[in-house]
Amino acid sequence: MAAYRGAAGFQRVLLAVKHVCFSKQRCGVIICRYSTVYDPNEKVSLIIRDFSLFFTCVIKTCKKMGIKTVAVHSDVDSSAVHVKVADEAVCVGPAPTSKSYLNMDAIMNAIKQTGAQAVHPGYGFLSENKEFAKRLAAEGVTFIGPDTHAIQAMGDKIESKLIAKAAKVNTIPGFDGVVKDAEEAVKIAGEIGYPVMIKASAGGGGKGMRIAWNDEETREGFRFSSQEALSSFGDDRLLIEKFIDNPRHIEIQVLADKHGNALWLNERECSIQRRNQKVVEEAPRFDGSCCEYVFLTQVEHPITECITGLDLVQQMIRIAKGYKLQHKQSDIPINGWAVESRVYAEDPYKSFGLPSIGRLSQYQEPLDLPNVRVDSGIQEGSDISIYYDPMISKLVTYGKTREEALKKMEDALDNYVIRGVTHNIPLLREIIVHSRFVSGDISTKFLPEVYPDGFKGHMLTAGERRELLATAAALYVAAQLRSQKFLGDLRVSVVPAECRRWELCVELDKGVHMLGVSRSGNNYTVEIDGEKVEVSGEWNLASALLPITINGKHRTLQCLLRTAAGEISLQYLGTSFKLRVLSKLAASLSKHMPEKVPEDTSSILRSPMPGSVVAVSVKPGDNVAEGQEICVIEAMKMQNSMTAAKTAKVKSVHCKAGDTVGEGDLLVELE
């Protein structure tokens, strides 16, 4: 450890990271001073800014190498995990990224203030900004990443395509210059031929990208893409290229030093996406049936580390110091299989994932399971805000085979406890067990092809429905029995003999089921439609997890809600199901309760997500057509056009540009 510390030579790291959210990823910068001999008095710092979860990984590696760290953060990220685990922290401005994480002056001041000597750029924001790299070089600060020439070449998509073409590498057909305005975009799109992809030249992560199938969508796509690109990367330049309608997204990790040595660290399969952002990844790739490759630039690392055994962050730091690669190509193995699920604070039932905000009231990672890795930058009590990208973590499982890795992912998702925000675990779990995914029949169109009407959650089979009903009934009885006791003793001295059989009514998906339940210790026998289901478990009702055995099969459920009125929400096979369990008497009386009349949504427009109002296109008295844009909501740096559900006159407008709105807030009323 000491020898390696000396080689690395970093002692202090300044980390500039944003909180956990993805439309705008948190970025970081590392600033360091190196030495060939470890000197405890030498001040070496890294500034890291990017995804909070990535910076947490970098901090861990730095600590292992004896490098001290300093986290830079916006004011809303003052309690973020990366800020707490770093050795020092510096606030560089308010929440808007233009005033904090994209503010070069503030970051350079933080570097001078702390004496930081190296910068790790992370994945976004200034990580591909050549001007930032030049400013660091001018101050004698090491940039842990590509030099300014490489950033100019690869960080700019327009420049990188030109270089790839010159090297006779396949590229996607398109216009290789900067698109000046919307009308030029329409002209270029017509020459290329629809459909086209409008794409930000800087950055990545699905920001500033729109698919256009006609002239109108091109104009709209140009507007939204340029605004998102400017907001996310400080650069509104766009390019246009042919949209490849049904591709596979394969990545190849490359690692190179300053001495002409380079390695490739095998492939990653990243085709499962929504809104041009990866959702599920795996390494290695599972077949070689792709007929043609084209050039793109991408970043990633956890699953590659799993199958190669290399710490890529550690390698980056060594390379930045000027050391040669420690490995040859023949040293790079493919050991086993790794799968990564990107866990987001998103509602998967809305366009495969619209952002959700809130405070993590309960958070428990499944790290007690073997071969599970969680790269996260949050903890219980963390806030997911509207300002940054909503990624919670990268959940990685590893196995000797793909089948083993996928089974471990099922267990990990079932044991992952997230409360306080809506999350995409239901979608992730459905993806990894779907027959098409398991067989490898995938492309970037997987989600819209498998779920053409949108994601609806897990569709229960008859057997699974019985399992769920039986579990809810057993849980209800266990709770009733527990309520009769206090500290293990009966609450009253004289009670009737304990009931051995219960007749219950369980409601699920508007269906009503009569069940008979009998108990022996922790074992319950539930009779449903003439069939018996055996359910057993410890029934620890205070635990977030509910590990049980159903007809000899182990299951892990989560009880999300349980009320005195018999309402029970269970997370089963990844999806949350709402049930109501009543006694026969209560069920007979419930029919007299009035039902809530559903709201007529055709005449009102509510915000489908929390965010800020970018623009309002109508005023009271205006006539609008069905599908016409009414306003634009920006959530986590993704802009969303809100449209009219019918042709009507605007009755009232309840928002204005600059307003912050919550999910479900009323925006506009129509007559």
Side-chain angles (χ1 to χ4, degrees):
M1 174 65 77
Y4 190 75
R5 278 181 168 182
F10 299 139
Q11 289 180 36
R12 183 154 152 225
V13 182
L14 177 56
L15 294 146
V17 188
K18 308 181 345 70
H19 180 73
V20 211
C21 284
F22 282 50
S23 296
K24 212 173 220 182
Q25 307 163 355
R26 308 176 184 197
C27 275
V29 180
I30 301 183
I31 305 172
C32 311
R33 185 168 41 203
Y34 310 84
S35 64
T36 55
V37 178
Y38 176 66
D39 179 0
N41 297 314
E42 183 182 28
K43 198 178 193 182
V44 180
S45 303
L46 293 132
I47 297 180
I48 307 174
R49 63 186 302 283
D50 197 292
F51 306 123
S52 184
L53 60 89
F54 177 70
F55 293 128
T56 304
C57 293
V58 176
I59 293 172
K60 290 179 181 177
T61 297
C62 288
K63 288 183 182 295
K64 186 169 63 175
M65 298 174 70
I67 303 170
K68 292 184 178 179
T69 58
V70 182
V72 303
H73 61 90
S74 67
D75 56 6
V76 298
D77 278 341
S78 59
S79 298
V81 172
H82 73 275
V83 174
K84 294 180 179 179
V85 298
D87 296 290
E88 297 181 46
V90 177
C91 181
V92 291
T97 54
S98 61
K99 298 179 180 180
S100 53
Y101 296 114
L102 287 173
N103 188 338
M104 292 189 206
D105 290 338
I107 293 174
M108 294 303 297
N109 287 336
I111 293 170
K112 294 176 182 178
Q113 174 185 337
T114 60
Q117 295 137 348
V119 172
H120 192 300
Y123 288 161
F125 288 149
L126 298 177
S127 63
E128 298 175 358
N129 189 305
K130 67 179 185 297
E131 296 304 322
F132 180 60
K134 286 180 180 178
R135 290 186 64 172
L136 293 176
E139 295 293 332
V141 175
T142 300
F143 185 75
I144 300 182
D147 59 23
T148 54
H149 172 73
I151 292 176
Q152 173 69 25
M154 293 293 106
D156 186 297
K157 296 183 180 68
I158 295 174
E159 183 72 16
S160 64
K161 284 190 69 175
L162 293 174
I163 293 173
K165 279 187 173 182
K168 300 193 183 304
V169 175
N170 285 348
T171 62
I172 300 174
F175 179 70
D176 298 327
V178 177
V179 184
K180 297 177 181 177
D181 52 40
E183 293 310 311
E184 184 180 36
V186 170
K187 178 177 178 293
I188 293 170
E191 293 171 352
I192 295 172
Y194 288 110
V196 297
M197 173 70 82
I198 303 168
K199 184 185 297 185
S201 180
K207 315 303 183 298
M209 297 176 68
R210 289 291 191 282
I211 300 168
W213 295 81
N214 54 50
D215 291 356
E216 182 180 350
E217 290 183 1
T218 298
R219 291 187 180 92
E220 183 180 83
F222 181 90
R223 174 165 64 104
F224 286 133
S225 294
S226 58
Q227 290 172 354
E228 287 179 3
L230 182 62
S231 175
S232 296
F233 316 118
D235 184 345
D236 63 357
R237 292 175 305 130
L238 302 178
L239 60 90
I240 298 180
E241 58 192 20
K242 184 69 176 177
F243 173 62
I244 301 177
D245 192 30
N246 198 31
R248 292 275 285 275
H249 182 126
I250 309 296
E251 298 179 359
I252 298 176
Q253 181 78 45
V254 177
L255 191 64
D257 62 22
K258 299 178 180 179
H259 304 279
N261 304 306
L263 300 171
W264 68 279
L265 307 179
N266 308 312
E267 313 97 334
R268 291 186 293 264
E269 168 63 73
C270 307
S271 296
I272 306 299
Q273 304 181 5
R274 56 96 182 87
R275 295 195 303 276
N276 305 303
Q277 291 179 310
K278 295 171 283 188
V279 177
V280 176
E281 307 173 36
E282 55 185 309
R285 185 185 165 214
F286 51 82
D287 67 45
S289 61
C290 208
C291 60
E292 182 180 7
Y293 286 88
V294 294
F295 173 81
L296 290 170
T297 58
Q298 293 291 333
V299 290
E300 191 51 54
H301 85 289
I303 52 178
T304 295
E305 290 186 338
C306 286
I307 67 168
T308 62
L310 297 182
D311 183 332
L312 298 190
V313 173
Q314 188 179 69
Q315 296 300 315
M316 291 174 68
I317 295 173
R318 292 190 77 260
I319 291 169
K321 168 60 181 168
Y323 290 99
K324 292 183 179 181
L325 289 173
Q326 295 175 304
H327 305 279
K328 298 179 180 179
Q329 190 64 56
S330 58
D331 299 329
I332 307 302
I334 299 180
N335 290 327
W337 210 283
V339 178
E340 174 185 304
S341 292
R342 293 190 169 198
V343 181
Y344 286 94
E346 291 181 339
D347 186 345
Y349 301 97
K350 296 179 179 178
S351 302
F352 299 114
L354 290 184
S356 171
I357 64 170
R359 176 166 293 174
L360 290 166
S361 57
Q362 194 169 10
Y363 183 74
Q364 181 178 316
E365 296 173 349
L367 293 174
D368 56 330
L369 301 179
N371 294 331
V372 173
R373 167 177 170 173
V374 183
D375 286 5
S376 67
I378 60 170
Q379 60 187 6
E380 192 165 290
S382 292
D383 287 313
I384 307 295
S385 74
I386 64 172
Y387 298 107
Y388 311 121
D389 192 284
M391 185 182 284
I392 292 175
S393 72
K394 293 180 180 179
L395 174 64
V396 179
T397 57
Y398 173 82
K400 294 180 179 178
T401 64
R402 184 171 186 259
E403 181 181 10
E404 181 182 336
L406 288 175
K407 182 60 177 70
K408 289 182 181 296
M409 181 59 73
E410 286 184 52
D411 295 338
L413 290 169
D414 286 342
N415 284 269
Y416 203 152
V417 178
I418 304 173
R419 305 280 194 276
V421 297
T422 305
H423 54 76
N424 68 332
I425 283 180
L427 175 62
L428 294 172
R429 200 184 187 288
E430 283 300 289
I431 290 172
I432 64 168
V433 300
H434 195 279
S435 58
R436 273 190 57 177
F437 179 82
V438 173
S439 68
D441 178 18
I442 62 175
S443 73
T444 56
K445 293 181 67 176
F446 177 88
L447 290 179
E449 286 180 350
V450 172
Y451 308 106
D453 299 321
F455 179 66
K456 306 296 183 185
H458 182 72
M459 298 292 108
L460 295 169
T461 65
E464 292 168 347
R465 183 174 294 274
R466 286 193 294 271
E467 285 188 7
L468 182 58
L469 291 168
T471 301
L475 180 63
Y476 173 85
V477 173
Q480 292 294 310
L481 293 175
R482 190 185 71 163
S483 67
Q484 297 174 5
K485 296 181 179 181
F486 178 72
L487 298 178
D489 295 325
L490 293 174
R491 290 181 179 273
V492 293
S493 57
V494 179
V495 296
E498 182 180 307
C499 180
R500 295 292 180 180
R501 182 174 174 81
W502 293 261
E503 299 294 332
L504 302 176
C505 173
V506 183
E507 300 174 4
L508 172 64
D509 295 336
K510 298 183 180 180
V512 179
H513 306 265
M514 301 306 299
L515 281 66
V517 182
S518 56
R519 169 179 172 264
S520 175
N522 287 331
N523 303 316
Y524 292 85
T525 300
V526 184
E527 297 180 21
I528 307 173
D529 300 328
E531 296 195 28
K532 292 185 178 181
V533 179
E534 302 291 338
V535 185
S536 61
E538 293 300 320
W539 305 106
N540 181 356
L541 304 184
S543 173
L545 299 174
L546 188 63
I548 58 175
T549 301
I550 308 176
N551 287 341
K553 184 187 302 181
H554 177 74
R555 298 280 197 194
T556 299
L557 287 76
Q558 297 185 32
C559 184
L560 308 178
L561 174 72
R562 183 168 50 83
T563 71
E567 296 171 320
I568 296 177
S569 290
L570 291 175
Q571 183 175 306
Y572 171 68
L573 302 178
T575 295
S576 174
F577 294 92
K578 295 181 180 180
L579 305 96
R580 188 164 70 147
V581 184
L582 301 172
S583 66
K584 289 184 68 174
L585 175 60
S588 66
L589 297 175
S590 67
K591 63 184 179 181
H592 301 293
M593 298 294 291
E595 293 187 5
K596 183 178 179 180
V597 178
E599 184 178 48
D600 177 13
T601 58
S602 64
S603 298
I604 59 174
L605 178 64
R606 294 187 180 276
S607 179
M609 75 207 86
S612 58
V613 180
V614 175
V616 178
S617 307
V618 298
K619 61 182 182 301
D622 286 354
N623 291 312
V624 295
E626 180 179 353
Q628 180 178 333
E629 180 178 290
I630 290 180
C631 63
V632 176
I633 304 294
E634 181 178 88
M636 293 152 183
K637 301 309 171 186
M638 297 290 284
Q639 296 193 356
N640 304 271
S641 177
M642 304 290 103
T643 60
K646 65 179 183 180
T647 299
K649 180 179 287 188
V650 177
K651 179 180 179 181
S652 58
V653 177
H654 299 267
C655 63
K656 63 181 183 299
D659 284 355
T660 297
V661 295
E663 181 179 355
D665 283 1
L666 182 62
L667 303 174
V668 174
E669 289 183 272
L670 303 178
E671 292 184 354

